[in-house]
Amino acid sequence: MQNISLIAALEGTQHKVTTDWFAIMATLENREMNQDELQTVYDELCAGLIVTTRGLTLAKINDNNSEDSLLKADDSAEDIFI
């Protein structure tokens, strides 16, 4: 398992925080999740699913910044005449 960026929320609240997989994994281990269950949660997050378990709702943060900069570069190139 690699570290991934996550958004986490406590069930029943609207407060969200950014965190990472290693921090959440330690929390879930303290809440008595075994390695197979942790692997399942990790796989579901990597697949883009929102996961609710042990009082937490988790979602992977997708890094779209690099895609946005590429799109902007492509748009500006349309204005150049050769």
Side-chain angles (χ1 to χ4, degrees):
M1 288 184 254
Q2 297 180 10
N3 204 8
I4 55 175
S5 298
L6 300 172
I7 296 174
L10 288 174
E11 283 184 33
T13 68
Q14 293 183 5
H15 182 71
K16 298 176 186 175
V17 296
T18 57
T19 186
D20 60 56
W21 171 247
F22 291 153
I24 292 297
M25 185 172 67
T27 300
L28 294 174
E29 285 174 339
N30 286 338
R31 295 181 183 189
E32 300 181 5
M33 281 189 91
N34 64 38
Q35 288 299 312
D36 290 336
E37 292 169 327
L38 288 170
Q39 185 66 51
T40 299
V41 170
Y42 178 80
D43 292 341
E44 290 173 348
L45 289 169
C46 287
L49 300 175
I50 296 173
V51 179
T52 300
T53 185
R54 302 291 203 269
L56 296 171
T57 301
L58 308 168
K60 182 179 175 186
I61 298 173
N62 292 324
D63 184 22
N64 292 331
N65 293 337
S66 60
E67 292 177 14
D68 290 343
S69 64
L70 289 174
L71 291 174
K72 289 178 185 175
D74 289 342
D75 290 343
S76 64
E78 291 178 3
D79 296 334
I80 299 173
F81 297 102
I82 299 177

